[in-house]
Amino acid sequence: MALRSSIFKASVSLSNLNTQYYDDLSFTIALHPSEMEERMMYRLLAFLYCAHERLEFTEGLNNPDLPDIWQKDLTGQIEHWIDLGLPEEKRIRKASGQSAKVSIFTYNEFKSKVWLEKNKSVLMTNKKINVYSFKEEEEGSLLSLVKKSMILNCMIEDEQIFLSDNDLRVQVNVSKV
């Protein structure tokens, strides 16, 4: 019998001061059996950082042909392909061929440096691709926010994301690579 995804609910009040995007969002987030809670939270942060009225989570890990998150135009064409982690060069090329804009978010500093060096040619020569790196101010504190039902506030300003609930405030730095 195959393992099933765990379901998490999140209500987020978002204030993105960089893009002047403000919204109250509700999500049902599936945590794939092979995914850690940390990755799920970084996936949520990537969504919030790129928030747009047509942005949505995809089947992600259940369908390797899809990005983690995407934004489609009104005709169904992909406008923004968003991946989390360290995608292979073939996937990066596919993303840039299918979308007007590609964002890749990494969150493991050591592995990211190796990956960036390996994929430098495709990442730096393609103007559609932006790579961002997440780094928590206090390691592991993002996991303290994880609950089956989360009510969160998110403020994004400059290169910082502040995510909080009633008890805890977590700062995650975002840097463009």
Side-chain angles (χ1 to χ4, degrees):
M1 178 182 226
L3 294 174
R4 299 184 65 148
S5 295
S6 299
I7 302 299
F8 291 81
K9 302 272 185 179
S11 294
V12 183
S13 179
L14 173 64
S15 299
N16 188 330
L17 303 178
N18 295 343
T19 62
Q20 304 301 309
Y21 187 84
Y22 307 93
D23 205 350
D24 290 320
L25 305 163
S26 293
F27 303 102
T28 299
I29 306 169
L31 176 68
H32 190 273
S34 69
E35 185 178 34
M36 305 293 285
E37 288 177 347
E38 177 185 39
R39 185 182 189 283
M40 177 189 72
M41 291 303 286
Y42 282 121
R43 196 162 35 103
L44 177 61
L45 286 179
F47 187 102
L48 295 171
Y49 191 80
C50 298
H52 182 278
E53 62 186 17
R54 289 191 312 273
L55 197 66
E56 60 186 343
F57 289 108
T58 68
E59 295 176 26
L61 295 174
N62 286 329
N63 187 339
D65 292 332
L66 300 179
D68 288 302
I69 304 164
W70 64 16
Q71 176 184 319
K72 290 184 171 184
D73 66 17
L74 297 175
T75 68
Q77 295 296 312
I78 302 171
E79 291 179 315
H80 193 177
W81 175 297
I82 302 168
D83 263 339
L84 183 69
L86 310 169
E88 297 290 327
E89 182 179 343
K90 182 179 177 184
R91 182 173 175 86
I92 297 167
R93 289 186 190 283
K94 175 183 177 176
S96 65
Q98 291 185 5
S99 179
K101 180 179 178 184
V102 177
S103 295
I104 300 168
F105 290 86
T106 67
Y107 58 92
N108 181 308
E109 192 173 2
F110 175 74
K111 289 181 180 178
S112 296
K113 287 180 182 178
V114 173
W115 174 80
L116 282 166
E117 188 60 37
K118 177 183 173 191
N119 293 287
K120 188 187 318 187
S121 63
V122 70
L123 296 171
M124 301 307 163
T125 57
N126 190 328
K127 298 205 183 309
K128 289 183 180 183
I129 302 172
N130 290 300
V131 179
Y132 301 90
S133 177
F134 286 133
K135 185 170 188 332
E136 279 185 77
E137 276 297 300
E138 188 175 321
E139 193 68 30
S141 56
L142 194 58
L143 289 175
S144 301
L145 294 171
V146 177
K147 296 176 183 75
K148 283 290 194 179
S149 182
M150 299 174 273
I151 299 174
L152 304 168
N153 291 301
C154 180
M155 184 179 77
I156 301 171
E157 183 175 24
D158 298 325
E159 296 181 341
Q160 298 170 329
I161 300 175
F162 299 97
L163 192 63
S164 63
D165 63 11
N166 286 335
D167 302 317
L168 182 66
R169 181 177 176 203
V170 175
Q171 178 180 338
V172 178
N173 296 325
V174 183
S175 57
K176 189 171 178 183
V177 179

